[in-house]
Amino acid sequence: MRAVLLFLAILFAAPAMAADTAARDAARATVERQIEAFRRDDAATAYAQAAPAIQNMFPSPDTFLAMVREGYAAVYRARRYSVDRIEEAGDDGLALGVSLQDEAGTDWAALYSLERQPDGAWRISGCRLVKAPGSSA
């Protein structure tokens, strides 16, 4: 009897876990798509990953790219990056911790906030960037 209950619990929990994994994978892909777009100076693709509130602050892809170039150089030209963690943030939000290294070799930590849009897509609603502990420069 216990085996049957355990099987049923796993069976019904699996779709929820898969959706959670799919949501996390989609959010990760959004951040990676934006970073890769910055590397190519593809303002339109980078801008498309931003949440509507961010797009309202920067009404064109070019103004958005200029802001990132000036204020987020480590993200704009990351030599390397990796998503280290993904955590839930509210009902329709996720936070992604990303390690980056800029062109000069300085390590940075970024915390991205993402929100799920009405169409189900994940869009970046913010990015906090700080030098990684122990980094110099």
Side-chain angles (χ1 to χ4, degrees), residues 34 37-38 41-51 54-70 76:
Q34 188 178 68
F38 289 143
D41 281 325
D42 180 352
T45 299
Y47 186 73
Q49 308 318 303
I54 301 298
Q55 291 181 355
N56 288 337
M57 291 170 51
F58 304 95
S60 78
D62 291 332
T63 58
F64 176 69
L65 190 65
M67 177 277 298
V68 172
R69 191 180 306 123
E70 292 295 316
Y76 175 66

PDB file of all heavy atoms in Angstrom, residues 34 37-38 41-51 54-70 76:
ATOM      1  N   GLN A  34      20.229  37.597 -23.450  1.00  0.00           N
ATOM      2  CA  GLN A  34      20.571  39.008 -23.357  1.00  0.00           C
ATOM      3  C   GLN A  34      22.079  39.226 -23.302  1.00  0.00           C
ATOM      4  O   GLN A  34      22.614  40.087 -23.999  1.00  0.00           O
ATOM      5  CB  GLN A  34      19.898  39.663 -22.145  1.00  0.00           C
ATOM      6  CG  GLN A  34      20.082  41.168 -22.145  1.00  0.00           C
ATOM      7  CD  GLN A  34      19.389  41.832 -20.993  1.00  0.00           C
ATOM      8  OE1 GLN A  34      19.793  41.639 -19.846  1.00  0.00           O
ATOM      9  NE2 GLN A  34      18.357  42.608 -21.281  1.00  0.00           N
ATOM     10  N   ALA A  37      23.490  38.733 -26.652  1.00  0.00           N
ATOM     11  CA  ALA A  37      23.136  39.863 -27.522  1.00  0.00           C
ATOM     12  C   ALA A  37      24.043  41.063 -27.248  1.00  0.00           C
ATOM     13  O   ALA A  37      24.466  41.750 -28.177  1.00  0.00           O
ATOM     14  CB  ALA A  37      21.666  40.246 -27.325  1.00  0.00           C
ATOM     15  N   PHE A  38      24.353  41.320 -25.981  1.00  0.00           N
ATOM     16  CA  PHE A  38      25.281  42.409 -25.659  1.00  0.00           C
ATOM     17  C   PHE A  38      26.640  42.160 -26.309  1.00  0.00           C
ATOM     18  O   PHE A  38      27.247  43.085 -26.850  1.00  0.00           O
ATOM     19  CB  PHE A  38      25.474  42.547 -24.140  1.00  0.00           C
ATOM     20  CG  PHE A  38      24.293  43.086 -23.402  1.00  0.00           C
ATOM     21  CD1 PHE A  38      23.980  42.607 -22.139  1.00  0.00           C
ATOM     22  CD2 PHE A  38      23.494  44.085 -23.938  1.00  0.00           C
ATOM     23  CE1 PHE A  38      22.904  43.108 -21.432  1.00  0.00           C
ATOM     24  CE2 PHE A  38      22.405  44.596 -23.235  1.00  0.00           C
ATOM     25  CZ  PHE A  38      22.111  44.093 -21.974  1.00  0.00           C
ATOM     26  N   ASP A  41      26.532  43.311 -29.767  1.00  0.00           N
ATOM     27  CA  ASP A  41      25.940  44.636 -29.957  1.00  0.00           C
ATOM     28  C   ASP A  41      24.584  44.551 -30.652  1.00  0.00           C
ATOM     29  O   ASP A  41      24.204  45.415 -31.441  1.00  0.00           O
ATOM     30  CB  ASP A  41      26.871  45.577 -30.738  1.00  0.00           C
ATOM     31  CG  ASP A  41      27.962  46.148 -29.851  1.00  0.00           C
ATOM     32  OD1 ASP A  41      27.694  46.406 -28.658  1.00  0.00           O
ATOM     33  OD2 ASP A  41      29.082  46.319 -30.346  1.00  0.00           O
ATOM     34  N   ASP A  42      23.835  43.515 -30.348  1.00  0.00           N
ATOM     35  CA  ASP A  42      22.501  43.302 -30.898  1.00  0.00           C
ATOM     36  C   ASP A  42      21.499  43.953 -29.932  1.00  0.00           C
ATOM     37  O   ASP A  42      20.912  43.295 -29.071  1.00  0.00           O
ATOM     38  CB  ASP A  42      22.238  41.804 -31.058  1.00  0.00           C
ATOM     39  CG  ASP A  42      20.878  41.481 -31.631  1.00  0.00           C
ATOM     40  OD1 ASP A  42      20.039  42.391 -31.781  1.00  0.00           O
ATOM     41  OD2 ASP A  42      20.641  40.288 -31.918  1.00  0.00           O
ATOM     42  N   ALA A  43      21.334  45.264 -30.096  1.00  0.00           N
ATOM     43  CA  ALA A  43      20.492  46.037 -29.188  1.00  0.00           C
ATOM     44  C   ALA A  43      19.053  45.535 -29.177  1.00  0.00           C
ATOM     45  O   ALA A  43      18.423  45.469 -28.117  1.00  0.00           O
ATOM     46  CB  ALA A  43      20.541  47.514 -29.560  1.00  0.00           C
ATOM     47  N   ALA A  44      18.518  45.192 -30.333  1.00  0.00           N
ATOM     48  CA  ALA A  44      17.114  44.772 -30.414  1.00  0.00           C
ATOM     49  C   ALA A  44      16.856  43.504 -29.604  1.00  0.00           C
ATOM     50  O   ALA A  44      15.863  43.427 -28.856  1.00  0.00           O
ATOM     51  CB  ALA A  44      16.707  44.578 -31.866  1.00  0.00           C
ATOM     52  N   THR A  45      17.734  42.511 -29.724  1.00  0.00           N
ATOM     53  CA  THR A  45      17.540  41.265 -28.980  1.00  0.00           C
ATOM     54  C   THR A  45      17.745  41.483 -27.487  1.00  0.00           C
ATOM     55  O   THR A  45      16.977  40.958 -26.671  1.00  0.00           O
ATOM     56  CB  THR A  45      18.482  40.166 -29.506  1.00  0.00           C
ATOM     57  OG1 THR A  45      18.165  39.933 -30.882  1.00  0.00           O
ATOM     58  CG2 THR A  45      18.344  38.876 -28.724  1.00  0.00           C
ATOM     59  N   ALA A  46      18.761  42.246 -27.117  1.00  0.00           N
ATOM     60  CA  ALA A  46      18.998  42.523 -25.693  1.00  0.00           C
ATOM     61  C   ALA A  46      17.800  43.252 -25.087  1.00  0.00           C
ATOM     62  O   ALA A  46      17.337  42.912 -23.998  1.00  0.00           O
ATOM     63  CB  ALA A  46      20.268  43.351 -25.526  1.00  0.00           C
ATOM     64  N   TYR A  47      17.280  44.226 -25.792  1.00  0.00           N
ATOM     65  CA  TYR A  47      16.149  45.025 -25.337  1.00  0.00           C
ATOM     66  C   TYR A  47      14.890  44.165 -25.209  1.00  0.00           C
ATOM     67  O   TYR A  47      14.105  44.332 -24.276  1.00  0.00           O
ATOM     68  CB  TYR A  47      15.925  46.151 -26.338  1.00  0.00           C
ATOM     69  CG  TYR A  47      14.888  47.181 -25.990  1.00  0.00           C
ATOM     70  CD1 TYR A  47      15.121  48.120 -24.999  1.00  0.00           C
ATOM     71  CD2 TYR A  47      13.691  47.250 -26.703  1.00  0.00           C
ATOM     72  CE1 TYR A  47      14.186  49.103 -24.718  1.00  0.00           C
ATOM     73  CE2 TYR A  47      12.751  48.230 -26.429  1.00  0.00           C
ATOM     74  CZ  TYR A  47      12.996  49.152 -25.436  1.00  0.00           C
ATOM     75  OH  TYR A  47      12.079  50.126 -25.158  1.00  0.00           O
ATOM     76  N   ALA A  48      14.708  43.232 -26.109  1.00  0.00           N
ATOM     77  CA  ALA A  48      13.524  42.371 -26.095  1.00  0.00           C
ATOM     78  C   ALA A  48      13.466  41.495 -24.848  1.00  0.00           C
ATOM     79  O   ALA A  48      12.386  41.039 -24.461  1.00  0.00           O
ATOM     80  CB  ALA A  48      13.489  41.500 -27.351  1.00  0.00           C
ATOM     81  N   GLN A  49      14.604  41.273 -24.171  1.00  0.00           N
ATOM     82  CA  GLN A  49      14.635  40.452 -22.958  1.00  0.00           C
ATOM     83  C   GLN A  49      14.247  41.255 -21.720  1.00  0.00           C
ATOM     84  O   GLN A  49      14.045  40.691 -20.645  1.00  0.00           O
ATOM     85  CB  GLN A  49      16.025  39.836 -22.758  1.00  0.00           C
ATOM     86  CG  GLN A  49      16.590  39.101 -23.949  1.00  0.00           C
ATOM     87  CD  GLN A  49      15.610  38.237 -24.681  1.00  0.00           C
ATOM     88  OE1 GLN A  49      15.004  37.343 -24.096  1.00  0.00           O
ATOM     89  NE2 GLN A  49      15.429  38.498 -25.971  1.00  0.00           N
ATOM     90  N   ALA A  50      14.165  42.570 -21.852  1.00  0.00           N
ATOM     91  CA  ALA A  50      13.840  43.450 -20.725  1.00  0.00           C
ATOM     92  C   ALA A  50      12.334  43.500 -20.496  1.00  0.00           C
ATOM     93  O   ALA A  50      11.542  43.475 -21.446  1.00  0.00           O
ATOM     94  CB  ALA A  50      14.379  44.854 -20.976  1.00  0.00           C
ATOM     95  N   ALA A  51      11.943  43.583 -19.228  1.00  0.00           N
ATOM     96  CA  ALA A  51      10.537  43.688 -18.852  1.00  0.00           C
ATOM     97  C   ALA A  51       9.968  45.028 -19.331  1.00  0.00           C
ATOM     98  O   ALA A  51      10.720  45.989 -19.547  1.00  0.00           O
ATOM     99  CB  ALA A  51      10.399  43.572 -17.334  1.00  0.00           C
ATOM    100  N   ILE A  54      11.230  48.248 -17.686  1.00  0.00           N
ATOM    101  CA  ILE A  54      12.573  48.664 -18.108  1.00  0.00           C
ATOM    102  C   ILE A  54      12.493  49.315 -19.488  1.00  0.00           C
ATOM    103  O   ILE A  54      13.115  50.346 -19.744  1.00  0.00           O
ATOM    104  CB  ILE A  54      13.545  47.462 -18.127  1.00  0.00           C
ATOM    105  CG1 ILE A  54      13.650  46.818 -16.743  1.00  0.00           C
ATOM    106  CG2 ILE A  54      14.909  47.868 -18.671  1.00  0.00           C
ATOM    107  CD1 ILE A  54      14.204  47.705 -15.653  1.00  0.00           C
ATOM    108  N   GLN A  55      11.727  48.709 -20.384  1.00  0.00           N
ATOM    109  CA  GLN A  55      11.575  49.284 -21.716  1.00  0.00           C
ATOM    110  C   GLN A  55      10.942  50.665 -21.657  1.00  0.00           C
ATOM    111  O   GLN A  55      11.294  51.533 -22.465  1.00  0.00           O
ATOM    112  CB  GLN A  55      10.761  48.349 -22.612  1.00  0.00           C
ATOM    113  CG  GLN A  55      11.510  47.086 -22.951  1.00  0.00           C
ATOM    114  CD  GLN A  55      10.728  46.157 -23.853  1.00  0.00           C
ATOM    115  OE1 GLN A  55       9.568  46.389 -24.183  1.00  0.00           O
ATOM    116  NE2 GLN A  55      11.368  45.078 -24.256  1.00  0.00           N
ATOM    117  N   ASN A  56      10.040  50.893 -20.704  1.00  0.00           N
ATOM    118  CA  ASN A  56       9.443  52.228 -20.550  1.00  0.00           C
ATOM    119  C   ASN A  56      10.467  53.260 -20.095  1.00  0.00           C
ATOM    120  O   ASN A  56      10.371  54.432 -20.441  1.00  0.00           O
ATOM    121  CB  ASN A  56       8.272  52.190 -19.576  1.00  0.00           C
ATOM    122  CG  ASN A  56       7.058  51.493 -20.156  1.00  0.00           C
ATOM    123  OD1 ASN A  56       6.902  51.398 -21.370  1.00  0.00           O
ATOM    124  ND2 ASN A  56       6.198  50.988 -19.279  1.00  0.00           N
ATOM    125  N   MET A  57      11.457  52.830 -19.315  1.00  0.00           N
ATOM    126  CA  MET A  57      12.508  53.744 -18.855  1.00  0.00           C
ATOM    127  C   MET A  57      13.480  54.089 -19.977  1.00  0.00           C
ATOM    128  O   MET A  57      14.060  55.174 -19.992  1.00  0.00           O
ATOM    129  CB  MET A  57      13.277  53.118 -17.684  1.00  0.00           C
ATOM    130  CG  MET A  57      12.457  52.997 -16.423  1.00  0.00           C
ATOM    131  SD  MET A  57      13.246  51.999 -15.117  1.00  0.00           S
ATOM    132  CE  MET A  57      14.862  52.709 -15.003  1.00  0.00           C
ATOM    133  N   PHE A  58      13.672  53.156 -20.897  1.00  0.00           N
ATOM    134  CA  PHE A  58      14.602  53.320 -22.021  1.00  0.00           C
ATOM    135  C   PHE A  58      13.809  53.023 -23.290  1.00  0.00           C
ATOM    136  O   PHE A  58      13.726  51.872 -23.708  1.00  0.00           O
ATOM    137  CB  PHE A  58      15.810  52.394 -21.872  1.00  0.00           C
ATOM    138  CG  PHE A  58      16.536  52.596 -20.579  1.00  0.00           C
ATOM    139  CD1 PHE A  58      16.256  51.805 -19.480  1.00  0.00           C
ATOM    140  CD2 PHE A  58      17.459  53.616 -20.445  1.00  0.00           C
ATOM    141  CE1 PHE A  58      16.902  52.005 -18.273  1.00  0.00           C
ATOM    142  CE2 PHE A  58      18.110  53.834 -19.241  1.00  0.00           C
ATOM    143  CZ  PHE A  58      17.830  53.025 -18.150  1.00  0.00           C
ATOM    144  N   PRO A  59      13.225  54.044 -23.898  1.00  0.00           N
ATOM    145  CA  PRO A  59      12.242  53.821 -24.951  1.00  0.00           C
ATOM    146  C   PRO A  59      12.763  53.281 -26.286  1.00  0.00           C
ATOM    147  O   PRO A  59      11.970  53.050 -27.185  1.00  0.00           O
ATOM    148  CB  PRO A  59      11.604  55.194 -25.131  1.00  0.00           C
ATOM    149  CG  PRO A  59      12.589  56.159 -24.598  1.00  0.00           C
ATOM    150  CD  PRO A  59      13.371  55.438 -23.545  1.00  0.00           C
ATOM    151  N   SER A  60      14.061  53.043 -26.403  1.00  0.00           N
ATOM    152  CA  SER A  60      14.564  52.440 -27.639  1.00  0.00           C
ATOM    153  C   SER A  60      15.690  51.464 -27.311  1.00  0.00           C
ATOM    154  O   SER A  60      16.369  51.608 -26.289  1.00  0.00           O
ATOM    155  CB  SER A  60      15.084  53.515 -28.604  1.00  0.00           C
ATOM    156  OG  SER A  60      16.366  53.961 -28.212  1.00  0.00           O
ATOM    157  N   PRO A  61      15.888  50.493 -28.173  1.00  0.00           N
ATOM    158  CA  PRO A  61      16.998  49.552 -27.955  1.00  0.00           C
ATOM    159  C   PRO A  61      18.354  50.253 -27.857  1.00  0.00           C
ATOM    160  O   PRO A  61      19.201  49.858 -27.052  1.00  0.00           O
ATOM    161  CB  PRO A  61      16.934  48.641 -29.181  1.00  0.00           C
ATOM    162  CG  PRO A  61      15.500  48.659 -29.587  1.00  0.00           C
ATOM    163  CD  PRO A  61      15.054  50.080 -29.317  1.00  0.00           C
ATOM    164  N   ASP A  62      18.550  51.302 -28.626  1.00  0.00           N
ATOM    165  CA  ASP A  62      19.839  51.996 -28.603  1.00  0.00           C
ATOM    166  C   ASP A  62      20.088  52.716 -27.280  1.00  0.00           C
ATOM    167  O   ASP A  62      21.212  52.699 -26.769  1.00  0.00           O
ATOM    168  CB  ASP A  62      19.946  52.973 -29.773  1.00  0.00           C
ATOM    169  CG  ASP A  62      20.045  52.245 -31.112  1.00  0.00           C
ATOM    170  OD1 ASP A  62      20.556  51.101 -31.136  1.00  0.00           O
ATOM    171  OD2 ASP A  62      19.601  52.808 -32.123  1.00  0.00           O
ATOM    172  N   THR A  63      19.058  53.349 -26.708  1.00  0.00           N
ATOM    173  CA  THR A  63      19.248  54.016 -25.411  1.00  0.00           C
ATOM    174  C   THR A  63      19.471  52.986 -24.307  1.00  0.00           C
ATOM    175  O   THR A  63      20.254  53.211 -23.391  1.00  0.00           O
ATOM    176  CB  THR A  63      18.072  54.946 -25.053  1.00  0.00           C
ATOM    177  OG1 THR A  63      16.853  54.191 -25.035  1.00  0.00           O
ATOM    178  CG2 THR A  63      17.959  56.103 -26.014  1.00  0.00           C
ATOM    179  N   PHE A  64      18.802  51.862 -24.419  1.00  0.00           N
ATOM    180  CA  PHE A  64      19.001  50.779 -23.461  1.00  0.00           C
ATOM    181  C   PHE A  64      20.436  50.265 -23.540  1.00  0.00           C
ATOM    182  O   PHE A  64      21.119  50.130 -22.517  1.00  0.00           O
ATOM    183  CB  PHE A  64      18.001  49.653 -23.734  1.00  0.00           C
ATOM    184  CG  PHE A  64      18.187  48.448 -22.864  1.00  0.00           C
ATOM    185  CD1 PHE A  64      17.911  48.480 -21.512  1.00  0.00           C
ATOM    186  CD2 PHE A  64      18.647  47.252 -23.408  1.00  0.00           C
ATOM    187  CE1 PHE A  64      18.081  47.366 -20.706  1.00  0.00           C
ATOM    188  CE2 PHE A  64      18.824  46.130 -22.616  1.00  0.00           C
ATOM    189  CZ  PHE A  64      18.533  46.193 -21.263  1.00  0.00           C
ATOM    190  N   LEU A  65      20.916  50.002 -24.734  1.00  0.00           N
ATOM    191  CA  LEU A  65      22.273  49.502 -24.917  1.00  0.00           C
ATOM    192  C   LEU A  65      23.307  50.508 -24.408  1.00  0.00           C
ATOM    193  O   LEU A  65      24.291  50.126 -23.769  1.00  0.00           O
ATOM    194  CB  LEU A  65      22.536  49.171 -26.386  1.00  0.00           C
ATOM    195  CG  LEU A  65      23.820  48.413 -26.683  1.00  0.00           C
ATOM    196  CD1 LEU A  65      23.782  47.014 -26.061  1.00  0.00           C
ATOM    197  CD2 LEU A  65      24.029  48.295 -28.181  1.00  0.00           C
ATOM    198  N   ALA A  66      23.086  51.788 -24.644  1.00  0.00           N
ATOM    199  CA  ALA A  66      24.004  52.826 -24.162  1.00  0.00           C
ATOM    200  C   ALA A  66      24.070  52.817 -22.637  1.00  0.00           C
ATOM    201  O   ALA A  66      25.154  52.937 -22.049  1.00  0.00           O
ATOM    202  CB  ALA A  66      23.582  54.196 -24.680  1.00  0.00           C
ATOM    203  N   MET A  67      22.916  52.657 -21.975  1.00  0.00           N
ATOM    204  CA  MET A  67      22.891  52.605 -20.511  1.00  0.00           C
ATOM    205  C   MET A  67      23.681  51.404 -20.008  1.00  0.00           C
ATOM    206  O   MET A  67      24.476  51.518 -19.075  1.00  0.00           O
ATOM    207  CB  MET A  67      21.435  52.531 -20.022  1.00  0.00           C
ATOM    208  CG  MET A  67      21.276  52.397 -18.513  1.00  0.00           C
ATOM    209  SD  MET A  67      21.421  50.723 -17.807  1.00  0.00           S
ATOM    210  CE  MET A  67      20.056  49.867 -18.582  1.00  0.00           C
ATOM    211  N   VAL A  68      23.506  50.254 -20.632  1.00  0.00           N
ATOM    212  CA  VAL A  68      24.217  49.050 -20.201  1.00  0.00           C
ATOM    213  C   VAL A  68      25.715  49.219 -20.440  1.00  0.00           C
ATOM    214  O   VAL A  68      26.533  48.881 -19.568  1.00  0.00           O
ATOM    215  CB  VAL A  68      23.674  47.799 -20.929  1.00  0.00           C
ATOM    216  CG1 VAL A  68      24.530  46.576 -20.631  1.00  0.00           C
ATOM    217  CG2 VAL A  68      22.227  47.547 -20.531  1.00  0.00           C
ATOM    218  N   ARG A  69      26.090  49.755 -21.563  1.00  0.00           N
ATOM    219  CA  ARG A  69      27.498  49.969 -21.894  1.00  0.00           C
ATOM    220  C   ARG A  69      28.169  50.847 -20.832  1.00  0.00           C
ATOM    221  O   ARG A  69      29.300  50.574 -20.418  1.00  0.00           O
ATOM    222  CB  ARG A  69      27.608  50.625 -23.267  1.00  0.00           C
ATOM    223  CG  ARG A  69      29.007  50.662 -23.824  1.00  0.00           C
ATOM    224  CD  ARG A  69      29.071  51.318 -25.206  1.00  0.00           C
ATOM    225  NE  ARG A  69      28.155  50.716 -26.170  1.00  0.00           N
ATOM    226  CZ  ARG A  69      27.208  51.393 -26.839  1.00  0.00           C
ATOM    227  NH1 ARG A  69      27.039  52.688 -26.661  1.00  0.00           N
ATOM    228  NH2 ARG A  69      26.429  50.767 -27.690  1.00  0.00           N
ATOM    229  N   GLU A  70      27.468  51.886 -20.377  1.00  0.00           N
ATOM    230  CA  GLU A  70      28.029  52.819 -19.393  1.00  0.00           C
ATOM    231  C   GLU A  70      27.981  52.289 -17.960  1.00  0.00           C
ATOM    232  O   GLU A  70      28.938  52.441 -17.216  1.00  0.00           O
ATOM    233  CB  GLU A  70      27.284  54.155 -19.455  1.00  0.00           C
ATOM    234  CG  GLU A  70      27.521  54.930 -20.725  1.00  0.00           C
ATOM    235  CD  GLU A  70      28.961  55.371 -20.878  1.00  0.00           C
ATOM    236  OE1 GLU A  70      29.562  55.848 -19.895  1.00  0.00           O
ATOM    237  OE2 GLU A  70      29.491  55.215 -21.995  1.00  0.00           O
ATOM    238  N   TYR A  76      27.911  43.908 -20.186  1.00  0.00           N
ATOM    239  CA  TYR A  76      27.966  44.281 -21.599  1.00  0.00           C
ATOM    240  C   TYR A  76      29.045  43.506 -22.351  1.00  0.00           C
ATOM    241  O   TYR A  76      28.825  43.053 -23.476  1.00  0.00           O
ATOM    242  CB  TYR A  76      28.206  45.793 -21.713  1.00  0.00           C
ATOM    243  CG  TYR A  76      28.399  46.283 -23.123  1.00  0.00           C
ATOM    244  CD1 TYR A  76      27.365  46.234 -24.048  1.00  0.00           C
ATOM    245  CD2 TYR A  76      29.616  46.809 -23.520  1.00  0.00           C
ATOM    246  CE1 TYR A  76      27.542  46.684 -25.335  1.00  0.00           C
ATOM    247  CE2 TYR A  76      29.804  47.273 -24.813  1.00  0.00           C
ATOM    248  CZ  TYR A  76      28.769  47.206 -25.720  1.00  0.00           C
ATOM    249  OH  TYR A  76      28.953  47.644 -27.003  1.00  0.00           O
TER     250      TYR A  76
END
